[in-house]
Amino acid sequence: MDKRERAERAKQEDLILNKILLWIVGAVVLEALLLLLNQFYNHYTIAQLSIAVALRTALPILALLFAAGCAACIAWTIQSRKKGKQVNFPIALAIFCAALALCCLITWLFPTGIRVLYVAVPVVTVLAMIYYLYQHEFFAISTLCAAGLAGLWLIQNRDGHEALVYTCLVLLAVLLVACAVLAWTLQTHQGTWKKRQLLPANANYVMLYITCGLVAAVLAGAVALGALMVLYAVLVAWLLVMAVYYTVKLM
């Protein structure tokens, strides 16, 4: 490796480190906001009752405003990219606005929403770190397992929100089919899609297919039997097995 290659590699590593730090900072800020929201929304005192009532009214409005902010940031990103400008900041802002919109919506709809978000925020941050540090096929597997766990939680809390929950499950089913089709396309084209190398030529697509089938089976079982703890354990166990498998592959 010559001097230029070492310098380019160091630059790429610094860029990845900066992105990871940005994700961590965003997660810390979001967790702090969730703690503050929980204090005034779920564990309020008599003196804070008016604040809790105002928050209950404001949360759906805030969700719409943050969603609009996310859309505006996406438009900003597209325009900046066309002009050849840096797009890291508008992308980060779009992700943060989307996260705030989802947090507001989930807190407003589900009584246990904030407790789940306490876990969901660091999970998404870990997924981002996997994307930057591990193989992309492991990132896809981790994301599918996380989506499956989210689907199980939705099924467990579907009472009163059946239409929303089943709509999300349909979207999850579409996601699983799309991932399987994309994996097959990449497999037949040595990991390339539209002339972009998304996965290495030696990627193990069998694990992707198994993950899609496993998540689909677990969600179908949850719809029929309820979100049993054993179903959560199945996805977590598979994710741990895949973590060991892909960690060994890095060595």
Side-chain angles (χ1 to χ4, degrees), residues 135-201:
Q135 302 95 327
H136 284 176
E137 57 262 40
F138 179 53
F139 167 74
I141 289 170
S142 302
T143 302
L144 290 173
C145 288
L149 292 170
L152 287 175
W153 179 80
L154 285 172
I155 293 169
Q156 187 177 2
N157 295 270
R158 59 184 163 182
D159 292 342
H161 306 287
E162 285 82 1
L164 174 63
V165 169
Y166 287 115
T167 299
C168 290
L169 291 177
V170 170
L171 293 176
L172 272 175
V174 172
L175 173 65
L176 292 172
V177 173
C179 286
V181 172
L182 179 59
W184 179 82
T185 303
L186 292 174
Q187 186 176 8
T188 56
H189 293 84
Q190 290 75 48
T192 61
W193 185 66
K194 292 186 176 180
K195 298 181 180 181
R196 295 186 63 182
Q197 191 74 35
L198 298 184
L199 293 179

Side-chain angles (χ1 to χ4, degrees), residues 45-208:
T45 63
I46 297 299
Q48 297 168 343
L49 179 60
S50 59
I51 299 176
V53 173
L55 282 173
R56 194 170 298 275
T57 304
L59 280 176
I61 300 172
L62 288 173
L64 290 173
L65 289 176
F66 286 129
C70 177
C73 289
I74 291 173
W76 179 15
T77 301
I78 293 172
Q79 291 298 320
S80 298
R81 181 163 289 172
K82 288 180 179 179
K83 296 177 181 179
K85 297 181 179 179
Q86 289 289 332
V87 295
N88 291 337
F89 181 71
I91 289 175
L93 197 57
I95 293 172
F96 193 68
C97 286
L100 287 173
L102 282 174
C103 288
C104 290
L105 186 62
I106 291 172
T107 302
W108 179 59
L109 287 175
F110 299 99
T112 61
I114 290 183
R115 282 184 290 174
V116 173
L117 289 170
Y118 285 156
V119 178
V121 170
V123 165
V124 173
T125 305
V126 170
L127 287 175
M129 295 174 67
I130 290 172
Y131 175 80
Y132 291 118
L133 300 176
Y134 272 73
Q135 302 95 327
H136 284 176
E137 57 262 40
F138 179 53
F139 167 74
I141 289 170
S142 302
T143 302
L144 290 173
C145 288
L149 292 170
L152 287 175
W153 179 80
L154 285 172
I155 293 169
Q156 187 177 2
N157 295 270
R158 59 184 163 182
D159 292 342
H161 306 287
E162 285 82 1
L164 174 63
V165 169
Y166 287 115
T167 299
C168 290
L169 291 177
V170 170
L171 293 176
L172 272 175
V174 172
L175 173 65
L176 292 172
V177 173
C179 286
V181 172
L182 179 59
W184 179 82
T185 303
L186 292 174
Q187 186 176 8
T188 56
H189 293 84
Q190 290 75 48
T192 61
W193 185 66
K194 292 186 176 180
K195 298 181 180 181
R196 295 186 63 182
Q197 191 74 35
L198 298 184
L199 293 179
N202 61 346
N204 192 339
Y205 295 94
V206 174
M207 299 303 181
L208 282 169

